[in-house]
Amino acid sequence: MIKRLREPLRTLRRRCGAIAATLALAGCGATVNVPLTPLPDALVEPLPLTAGIRMQETLTTYRHEETLPTGEEYAINVGPAAELALSATFEDMFARTVSVPVGEPVPNGIDLLIDSDIDALEFALPSQTVTEDYAVWIKFKFKVYDSSGALQSEFPLPAYGKATRDSIVSGQNAALTSAANLALRDAAVLLLTRFHKQSLLAGNQIPEPAPENEVLPVAEDRATTQPAESETDVGAMSVPPTGEQFL
Amino acid sequence: MIELTSRISFYSLFLMGLFGLSACSTSRTDLTSNDPLPVYDCESVVFMARSYHTGIQTEINFTICVIDSLDSGRNGINIMPGEQFVDAMYPWFEPRTAPNNISGLPKLMNNELIARRMRETGVRYVVWLDGNTDRPNGGGSLSCAAGPGGAGCFGFAWWESKSDYDAVVWDLEDGKEAGNIATTVSGTSYMPAIVIPIPMIARTKATACKDLSVQLKDFIAGAQTTGD
């Protein structure tokens, strides 16, 4: 009789052990690799410009690590998804885009160069907000250069995404992933709808498309002092001194 | 001991049967509109929850409940999934960019790209759902314990629920607000426990969903028309 019961008891113990281990792991935080949910084609008229797109390595490999006061450790890998989201968005925004690797000179024939980076990422869990929501904030940092490589403007872009855990089954990883994806989509929406107000294109100063394979001369007076719109929450645009060279 | 537990459970079930439906709730629904809305077979309606950027977002399960109620039955309405509409209109109906009120719509529709896409979707009405269910008050004490001889709960707990929702209907063709339906359902739930807990739940959210759906169906599908 005892022998007959031994095997089921062993199985039960194994299953209980597995459940306990799962529960213990669930209390230890999470590692989230954010895959980008493809963005829809944007309903915007592309600007008739060729834009150079440069993604800093800190953006393409961005990983946020944080240990909460409770000891839970979280890691959110958002870099590759952010790179894809921004690339797709810039392709919608401009007639033509050219990828410009970090450290390489500005290629001929581009009208402007956009340098993208992530400044910070924060997240909030239901236990912190006393709601059922997971939230992710990503603060991007953009610099816009003209075709000669002179910095025209730089501005931060804080994006926000919020998701609710649908059920115990979907888990907090799915909710955090969803919140991060919504934050990336929010960043894309901000770029699509407000870039022209935040960058050198403010005040309809859309540069003339550069002739093919020709470097434009450095402009003497290229400072734009257009303030950020008060109702936007994109943040104020800071304008560097005229002629500041970054390349 | 087992016999005593069975007897208590029997009485508990009896009490549950006696009071099971006694959790009370009050409901009020107001409709503000001029006329029933004409909606043709080729037209559809989209339901959207208010942006989480402007406050607490309506629960997803409430939106699903309203859609399921309207999508079923003889006078079911053509409903386009909200995500599909948002993707089709990207980036103009996102949480950050969707117009907060009807006055923002003409500016959006002045853009020929947006207006054309809107026509292509076939969406005639956008119904904005707003509100949520809250528990403003509660009290009592209920505790459960388990031991070698069995398990049981004793005590009494209660809580109030308030479901406050409204649906604002935009007519995209006329560019105006076609109607507004508001529903408020309040109720108090009780849970006495004698060995087993006896939940007497006031299902305020479900009632609000039902009330809102009935009004919306009368309002929109009541005048459903064939043709183009």
Side-chain angles (χ1 to χ4, degrees), chain A residues 43 185-186 188-190 233, chain B residues 87 90 92 94 96-97 117:
Chain A
L43 208 54
R185 183 165 171 142
D186 191 39
V189 167
L190 280 168
D233 48 359
Chain B
D87 280 356
Y90 178 78
W92 303 108
E94 297 293 313
R96 196 185 282 276
T97 53
R117 180 64 61 85

Side-chain angles (χ1 to χ4, degrees), chain B residues 132-148:
Chain B
N132 68 325
T133 294
D134 199 13
R135 281 189 186 178
N137 218 345
S141 169
L142 194 150
S143 58
C144 297

